[in-house]
Amino acid sequence: MKAMVLAGCPNAVLVDVSHEVPRFDVSAGAFMLFAGTRHFAGGSVHLVVVDPGVGTSRRRLAIRAGGRYYVGPDNGLFTIVIDEVGLQDAVELAPRPEGSSTFEGRDVFAPAAAALAAGVPIESLGPPTDPPKMIEESTPRVLWTDGFGNLVTNLKPPARPMRVHNHYVTATATTYAEARPNEPFVYVGSMGYLEIGVREARADRLLGARAGMLIELL
Amino acid sequence: MKAMVLAGCPNAVLVDVSHEVPRFDVSAGAFMLFAGTRHFAGGSVHLVVVDPGVGTSRRRLAIRAGGRYYVGPDNGLFTIVIDEVGLQDAVELAPRPEGSSTFEGRDVFAPAAAALAAGVPIESLGPPTDPPKMIEESTPRVLWTDGFGNLVTNLKPPARPMRVHNHYVTATATTYAEARPNEPFVYVGSMGYLEIGVREARADRLLGARAGMLIELL
Amino acid sequence: MKAMVLAGCPNAVLVDVSHEVPRFDVSAGAFMLFAGTRHFAGGSVHLVVVDPGVGTSRRRLAIRAGGRYYVGPDNGLFTIVIDEVGLQDAVELAPRPEGSSTFEGRDVFAPAAAALAAGVPIESLGPPTDPPKMIEESTPRVLWTDGFGNLVTNLKPPARPMRVHNHYVTATATTYAEARPNEPFVYVGSMGYLEIGVREARADRLLGARAGMLIELL
């Protein structure tokens, strides 16, 4: 995919935002697509493939939202970006008959991302199309575990008590330094969502919790 | 190594093609060196170190093949690139006496790659030399397991039934969506070789198979 | 963090030097900050966050040492860089009240690094300040295990016999090829420190050793 991007836009600066999204987890992918890209400058191009249905007939999309571009399959991945910053444009990309049928990331999405990065107007990439599929995600849950064992939830501030995996997490703090050792606490994480952490320890291990687990608000 | 490349070519765009090649596995390295670089533009420079014999007397090479440059040790790594696209030039790099004896990647190969990226002609890097060592790899086998658990083989299309680790894999498909759940199938992977996958599951776990295992064609 | 760097310096070339430093291990971080950056050209900017005390009152620093710039928390991370190449400048960065309190890497350090990369003089980033905190690290120990299972120590050349985890490592070699199979040996690693390795095997497994273990010199 990077070769295809550089072939189409040799001066592109490539950033791997995340390879931590659990396989096939579109909700977590939608979250990361927003949280992990919102600090990039206007005009930046974000390519995403989290795709249980590779090769199926869902649309292939390029959209503009919040002044940034997003390219990927129409399976709900754009939901949170659009909820948060609004949709400006959506065009449908053509499948590439000569490309591999198993890797649209390389054969369809990467060339489209390269074209956008090189300054090609989005409306040149395909016909305008209906807004992307939106997924409903109203149930509080753990979206994933970060590298420190913190549990990232799909909940917005303010920080508040919750229960996960039969553990009550009632402490809140604004910094790790404020928290007490060995006591899990809720805080507003760097991506703008509530997280559960433990100072100098792993919340996932202490609570036995992992991505996908439901959360009960107290 | 990246510091050395940027010191020699400050505008280089760096791409980590793969860190997944099993340690010391020259056959898998040769495969990735072809499969992982074939979409890069002409003039791109590919640096590879998969090297059981660090510090031994094998040559240090820079070659041109298919319009791209490849730099690394002469232990068979260039085999598939040369088989697929043909050899254009080969020069022998000098060992650098002042460099560390344990890290030729940094002290010999990275500076050579930087020079090529900066536009230095390959013939300036060392004297012309005999073609690289070629390895014979005729036995069908699993080259490695990708991040999704798919088993990448050293076999070329067309997709056909095979046996691996006492499991018969008789289904073939052109896309994941075509495949049946829980049934392993053979398909042409994005790198142009046959792979064994399972829809929304891990073929390596379902079959108990891993890199290095032999394959019997049915 | 990368988004913030690119927002402030769109032409920055980003290199991930290491994500292998054990969590909260400032000594290992200090080592990597020197060993992993010393081949970069003058003027390069190195951003580091290994920070058990996120949100506490330690200073936030940008320093110049050996012609390179380093940005991070004042918790001892700069010790080895300063020991090895000397301190030229140190300025104190302001906390950013509007930023997230949990992620100074993104809200304080990344913008400062971007400014330096874009050519802003270091004295514009904050007032001159006292030299960074230095940590004393005189006890020989294993700093970490690299991807090949080699044990990287905090000892400088020459290579000499040592004992780790009740194993005597008495052989030394200048290259892997010189070493005997299955016999651990001491050598000068590519970062300029002594390492313990085993030819085509993992020293960490053979010796049952890991980062943090003490070393006795023989």
Side-chain angles (χ1 to χ4, degrees), chain C residues 157-199:
Chain C
R160 52 201 190 280
M162 58 184 70
R163 191 169 75 144
V164 58
H165 200 223
N166 279 324
H167 291 272
Y168 290 87
V169 183
T170 55
T172 60
T174 47
T175 69
Y176 268 77
E178 268 181 40
R180 278 185 291 201
N182 299 314
E183 184 185 50
F185 67 103
V186 178
Y187 61 99
V188 181
S190 61
M191 292 177 290
Y193 287 75
L194 301 189
E195 302 184 9
I196 299 169
V198 182
R199 185 172 171 179

Side-chain angles (χ1 to χ4, degrees), chain B:
Chain B
M1 288 172 63
K2 291 179 179 176
M4 296 301 281
V5 170
L6 290 172
C9 181
N11 298 319
V13 176
L14 302 173
V15 175
D16 287 18
V17 169
S18 177
H19 295 282
E20 306 301 309
V21 173
R23 310 284 180 214
F24 314 123
D25 187 337
V26 173
S27 294
F31 166 77
M32 179 52 82
L33 192 65
F34 167 66
T37 67
R38 72 206 156 112
H39 293 292
F40 282 87
S44 60
V45 182
H46 302 284
L47 174 54
V48 59
V49 186
V50 177
D51 200 5
V54 171
T56 59
S57 59
R58 82 282 177 279
R59 293 179 297 173
R60 299 145 191 94
L61 300 180
I63 72 167
R64 191 160 62 99
R68 300 182 195 90
Y69 297 99
Y70 299 86
V71 178
D74 182 33
N75 59 12
L77 280 169
F78 304 113
T79 300
I80 300 179
V81 165
I82 292 172
D83 271 348
E84 294 280 347
V85 301
L87 179 67
Q88 295 170 285
D89 294 290
V91 304
E92 183 168 0
L93 306 172
R96 288 162 72 100
E98 78 276 21
S100 156
S101 55
T102 69
F103 199 1
E104 291 192 330
R106 181 191 66 194
D107 297 325
V108 176
F109 299 129
L116 291 168
V120 172
I122 189 168
E123 52 271 26
S124 308
L125 298 184
T129 189
D130 292 336
K133 175 181 173 182
M134 300 291 274
I135 48 179
E136 283 301 322
E137 177 70 275
S138 55
T139 310
R141 68 181 186 98
V142 178
L143 278 177
W144 80 79
T145 305
D146 74 15
F148 292 87
N150 300 317
L151 302 165
V152 183
T153 78
N154 61 349
L155 296 162
K156 291 299 207 78
R160 53 201 189 280
M162 57 184 70
R163 190 170 76 143
V164 58
H165 200 222
N166 278 325
H167 292 271
Y168 290 87
V169 183
T170 54
T172 62
T174 48
T175 70
Y176 268 78
E178 268 181 40
R180 278 186 290 200
N182 300 313
E183 184 184 52
F185 67 102
V186 177
Y187 61 100
V188 181
S190 61
M191 292 178 291
Y193 286 76
L194 300 189
E195 302 184 10
I196 300 169
V198 183
R199 186 172 171 177
E200 294 187 35
R202 294 186 64 97
D204 58 344
R205 289 193 194 140
L206 195 69
L207 304 180
R210 60 175 186 278
M213 283 186 172
L214 298 185
I215 288 169
E216 181 190 351
L217 290 168
L218 303 177

Side-chain angles (χ1 to χ4, degrees), chain A residues 82-103:
Chain A
I82 292 172
D83 271 348
E84 294 280 346
V85 301
L87 179 66
Q88 295 171 285
D89 294 289
V91 304
E92 182 168 0
L93 307 172
R96 287 162 72 100
E98 78 275 22
S100 155
S101 55
T102 70
F103 199 0

Side-chain angles (χ1 to χ4, degrees), chain C residues 85-112:
Chain C
V85 301
L87 179 66
Q88 296 170 284
D89 295 290
V91 305
E92 182 168 0
L93 306 172
R96 288 163 71 102
E98 78 276 20
S100 155
S101 55
T102 69
F103 199 1
E104 291 193 330
R106 181 191 66 195
D107 297 326
V108 176
F109 298 129

